[in-house]
Amino acid sequence: MHPACRGFGVGILLSLFLSTAFAAECIVPSKPGGGFDQTCKLAQKGLGGDALRLSYLPGGIGAVAWSSIVSQRRAEPDTLVAFSGGSLLNVVLGKFGRSTGADVRWVAAVGTDYGMIAVRADSPYKSLRELVAAMQRDPAAVTIGAGGTIGSQDWIKVALVAKQAGVDPKKLRFVAFEGGGESFTALLAGHVQVVSGDVSEASLHAVSDRIRVLAVLSDARLPGALAQVPTAREQGYDVTWPIIRGLYMGPQVPDADYRRWVAAFDRMMADKSFDQLRAAHGLYPFAMTGKLLTDYVARTEENYHRQAAELGLVR
């Protein structure tokens, strides 16, 4: 390292490196406040300085942004888009048109999230079992806020729990929102009784004691703000839902630019300080870039297709 650079953090160096090349954009494919927003903000802080500017392009739980990239902005070297496991599920279900995961370039996965089910702090439901018991009595009596309609990942999370309890998931009463931010706003306003969403989103509200998370959909209890929340498995429902979060680019981005971004995220995530930054954004360790991530996405799409077929969502 050049002597003049000693003392600089990796984020600052990456910021200098990237900003001299181009002013980059990170597209949040939803309204502010949800997991996509957190992903872009994490990348923005991790890369440092003015390396990224955020813009919001909501619509279709990511479909509008996806369509923009694959049809109109295919070769932009300075445009990244946030994605999650839910984005991959939407591709499998055909909600992004006739696209497949091979239609974009997968840059980096910067962390993993987990599904969760939450209610307001003053809700009569104190556990997942109590909530499921209410669904068994009358599936339509409980209003559930979710990002997306039937077949979305938020729908599938609850559907898998309901199915194990002998409840027909298609009889449940869902209200579709554009993303986690809207779902929690509706919950706090009393428009829905339950939210099916993600841990990173719930962590933002749990610290204020305004919501109660009934279950996390992870293999084991999670550290941090939700450490006392039991898993669904602990409560008798064998349902887990990990959600990777990361960024992709257009399919015709030049190889040199694509490699530059992959290298930048590799450096960012190799810095030990990034672990704390990721945790502060409600995410858990998961780091993958380039070809490894591309292969992982392909395997994940296969798994989602199998789960969706079991719920009768695809043929």
Side-chain angles (χ1 to χ4, degrees), residues 41 74 107 208 272:
K41 287 178 178 176
R74 296 172 60 84
V107 179
S208 66
K272 292 182 179 180

Side-chain angles (χ1 to χ4, degrees), residues 256-277:
D257 294 298
Y258 175 71
R259 289 195 298 268
R260 176 179 0 189
W261 279 108
V262 168
F265 279 100
D266 280 337
R267 292 189 185 96
M268 180 188 80
M269 293 188 287
D271 189 332
K272 292 182 179 180
S273 66
F274 181 73
D275 292 340
Q276 294 179 329
L277 185 61

Side-chain angles (χ1 to χ4, degrees), residues 27-41 54-65 82 147 176-185 201 204 245:
I27 295 177
V28 178
S30 67
K31 293 181 180 179
F36 291 135
D37 197 15
Q38 287 290 90
T39 301
C40 276
K41 287 178 178 176
L54 271 59
S55 63
Y56 295 85
L57 188 58
I61 319 299
V64 171
F177 295 100
E178 182 58 37
E182 285 191 4
S183 295
F184 277 101
T185 298
E201 299 163 349
L204 299 176
R245 292 199 175 276

Side-chain angles (χ1 to χ4, degrees), residues 5-298:
C5 293
R6 293 197 180 102
F8 279 66
V10 170
I12 295 175
L13 290 174
L14 286 172
S15 175
L16 292 172
F17 165 70
L18 293 170
S19 62
T20 57
F22 43 72
E25 176 185 15
C26 190
I27 295 177
V28 178
S30 67
K31 293 181 180 179
F36 291 135
D37 197 15
Q38 287 290 90
T39 301
C40 276
K41 287 178 178 176
L42 172 60
Q44 183 185 51
K45 292 180 181 177
L47 293 173
D50 299 322
L52 286 178
R53 59 184 177 83
L54 271 59
S55 63
Y56 295 85
L57 188 58
I61 319 299
V64 171
W66 180 281
S67 177
S68 175
I69 291 298
V70 302
S71 63
Q72 301 169 0
R73 308 175 68 175
R74 296 172 60 84
E76 292 185 6
D78 57 350
T79 303
L80 301 165
V81 186
F83 80 92
S84 73
S87 307
L88 307 182
L89 177 61
N90 284 335
V91 170
V92 168
L93 296 177
K95 295 188 176 184
F96 285 6
R98 295 185 176 181
S99 293
T100 71
D103 291 332
V104 298
R105 305 197 77 168
W106 303 98
V107 179
V110 296
T112 190
D113 203 349
Y114 292 93
M116 65 86 229
I117 298 171
V119 295
R120 279 193 356 174
D122 58 359
S123 170
Y125 307 121
K126 301 295 194 297
S127 70
L128 183 59
R129 286 180 178 175
E130 290 183 6
L131 174 61
V132 171
M135 293 176 180
Q136 289 173 321
R137 290 191 296 269
D138 183 357
V142 180
T143 307
I144 305 163
T149 55
I150 290 177
S152 70
Q153 67 165 346
D154 288 349
W155 183 90
I156 289 181
K157 294 168 194 172
V158 176
L160 291 171
V161 172
K163 189 175 181 181
Q164 290 190 16
V167 177
D168 182 354
K170 293 183 180 179
K171 292 184 179 179
L172 296 173
R173 186 181 174 193
F174 280 87
V175 179
F177 295 100
E178 182 58 37
E182 285 191 4
S183 295
F184 277 101
T185 298
L187 177 69
L188 294 174
H191 300 312
V192 296
Q193 297 165 275
V194 181
V195 162
S196 172
D198 305 334
V199 165
S200 63
E201 299 163 349
S203 297
L204 299 176
H205 300 276
V207 293
S208 66
D209 295 324
R210 300 176 69 188
I211 70 165
R212 177 187 303 126
V213 180
L214 301 183
V216 291
L217 306 184
S218 53
D219 293 320
R221 292 200 185 193
L222 301 172
L226 303 181
Q228 301 305 311
V229 177
T231 66
R233 280 180 172 172
E234 287 180 69
Q235 300 177 72
Y237 308 97
D238 188 15
V239 177
T240 60
W241 196 270
I243 309 154
I244 64 166
R245 292 199 175 276
L247 303 112
Y248 67 84
M249 304 182 78
Q252 294 179 350
V253 170
D255 288 343
D257 294 298
Y258 175 71
R259 289 195 298 268
R260 176 179 0 189
W261 279 108
V262 168
F265 279 100
D266 280 337
R267 292 189 185 96
M268 180 188 80
M269 293 188 287
D271 189 332
K272 292 182 179 180
S273 66
F274 181 73
D275 292 340
Q276 294 179 329
L277 185 61
R278 176 169 49 204
H281 285 72
L283 295 179
Y284 300 87
F286 189 95
M288 194 174 287
T289 61
K291 186 180 185 304
L292 287 177
L293 176 60
T294 302
D295 293 343
Y296 178 91
V297 165

